[in-house]
Amino acid sequence: MKYILVTGGVISGIGKGIIASSIGTILKSCGLRVTAIKIDPYINIDAGTFSPYEHGEVFVLNDGGEVDLDLGNYERFLDINLYKDNNITTGKIYQHVINKERHGDYLGKTVQVVPHITDAVQEWVMNQAKVPVDDDRKEPQICVIELGGTIGDIEGMPFVEAFRQFQFKAKRENFCNIHVSLVPQPNATGEQKTKPTQNSVRALRGLGLSPDLIVCRSAKPIEMAVKEKISMFCHVEPEQVTIVKIGVITRYLVFVRYERLLKVCSIALVGKYTKLSDCYASVFKALEHSALAINHKLDLMYIDSTELELASGIFGILVPGGFGIRGTEGKLQAISWARTKKKPFLGVCLGMQLAVVEFARNCLNWKDANSTEFDPDTKNPVVIDMPEHNPGDMGGTMRLGKRRTVFKTQNSILRKLYGDETFVEERHRHRYEVNPELTHSFEEKGLKFVGHDTEGNRMEIIELENHPYFVGVQFHPEFSSRPMKPSPPYLGLLLAATGTLNAYLQRDPGSISQNQGFRSLSTRQF
């Protein structure tokens, strides 16, 4: 097993995740089996309780792990399925060590950061690096490890020390350190400054790690003289200083072709976290994958649901998942507009639940219809707490991870988009769901519940009759979207928005399965 550790200097958010993903993709394209681990030095057990404005979206894995969004990058770039233990946090490590101490595993010794915490980090990495992530179930050959935060952060020190020791345990020929740094260019002088990178590398070397490759981020291409200066003062050869052009490094993301596309599809994303695009990172990627597949450029308009104003020229509406009552009235207005104006609509998780609320209020005339999340005393609780919901705890209490949804009818748009499969398996993250006791009233008025869980008690998919595309899903299909295999619900939204859905659905179902290749999606074929 070989290990690549990606560290960062100068500032946080420098792009370590994209660099790690890109390096992994290059190695995988060479025929190697690659896995990835993300280390987050915060004390939280996982990312599940974060506000999206803290760290962006919470990415959900097949096994229900709520993890950092960088693991979403790894899965999309590498086309692999990771596990919750591929995300290491300080909280997880300390919890693991404290549990061992309580069980008497340390035989009465004083438990310390060194060696007990550092040993736990190394053992966790070595064990998780061996876990197969591909369909062939073979052990990976290379593990790319991203250390979150910035070198010098006090909370990251135990991890840096762990890898200082680990480079000798793994043997030097099996360990590589890539350091990502910033080369700023102040407007006052217009000169590219190397001192921040020098200081960052000096701090790294002072902690016992010496970079094998320095990846520099800069607003403009870095001059050769600057590369040579970094080489001289950071103790690396000039060829070990590189500038990576993000977005073109991976064979999966063919953005050169994407930028040349002339046709544009405008989609309005109506949510309450619109000030930071990372809050909807996977949603954006799923839309982008679908747009590229049908030879369109995506024009995504982020519309704040608390200040709803729908512009003209919108091709379709997307209401994503979320929590809390703030902004729900704006989302309901957007859903009503899409329903009555016959605009293509996709509701995900909360978006589906609000579509049911809107239909109950305006089509069934249940004016006080609501979710018990927002009004526990509503007389028409069309969305209710799950039976297993425990309101006393926040972390890990939701219905999480990959679950099966069974199609209840063959006459379903989404079933056709999934390649006429009898069931699909998608990832979930929710505490509330549609009240199954009231569904017959909706069905009589044309809102069909076409997908249920395996027991038939949980409503997973809604479709509205006599509408070009009005679909809601309780699961989060964006988490399994890939550049070469776009998510069917998102693909359906863009096909409907561009007026090509019917032609697409008339094709052979076998050619539009979830395992479809990129070429098979070209709109030129229908």
Side-chain angles (χ1 to χ4, degrees), residues 127-198:
N127 291 335
Q128 197 60 28
K130 298 175 183 177
V131 177
V133 292
D134 285 324
D135 292 336
D136 59 12
R137 310 308 298 165
K138 292 182 180 178
E139 185 176 309
Q141 298 166 299
I142 296 178
C143 180
V144 181
I145 307 158
E146 178 193 348
L147 176 56
T150 307
I151 290 300
D153 293 345
I154 189 169
E155 58 264 31
M157 290 299 186
F159 294 102
V160 176
E161 170 59 21
F163 285 105
R164 183 196 69 78
Q165 300 173 22
F166 185 70
Q167 64 186 329
F168 302 109
K169 184 178 294 185
K171 297 188 179 178
R172 197 66 187 88
E173 63 270 20
N174 296 323
F175 184 86
C176 173
N177 178 206
I178 297 176
H179 191 62
V180 186
S181 184
L182 177 69
V183 178
Q185 191 168 351
N187 292 331
T189 62
E191 180 184 2
Q192 292 177 331
K193 297 294 185 180
T194 66
K195 191 64 71 177
T197 298
Q198 293 179 45

Side-chain angles (χ1 to χ4, degrees), residues 272 322-329 331-332 350 353-354 357 361 369-378 383 385 432:
K272 65 177 182 179
F323 299 92
I325 193 170
R326 185 173 67 86
T328 54
E329 289 304 317
K331 294 175 184 177
L332 287 166
L350 177 61
Q353 295 170 9
L354 290 177
V357 171
R361 290 181 181 180
N370 215 331
S371 166
T372 55
E373 179 182 7
F374 312 132
D375 182 5
D377 300 320
T378 177
V383 177
D385 301 32
Y432 296 85

Side-chain angles (χ1 to χ4, degrees), residues 478-494:
E478 64 270 16
F479 291 142
S480 56
S481 183
R482 301 287 185 265
M484 307 292 279
K485 292 176 285 188
S487 165
Y490 286 89
L491 178 63
L493 176 66
L494 267 70

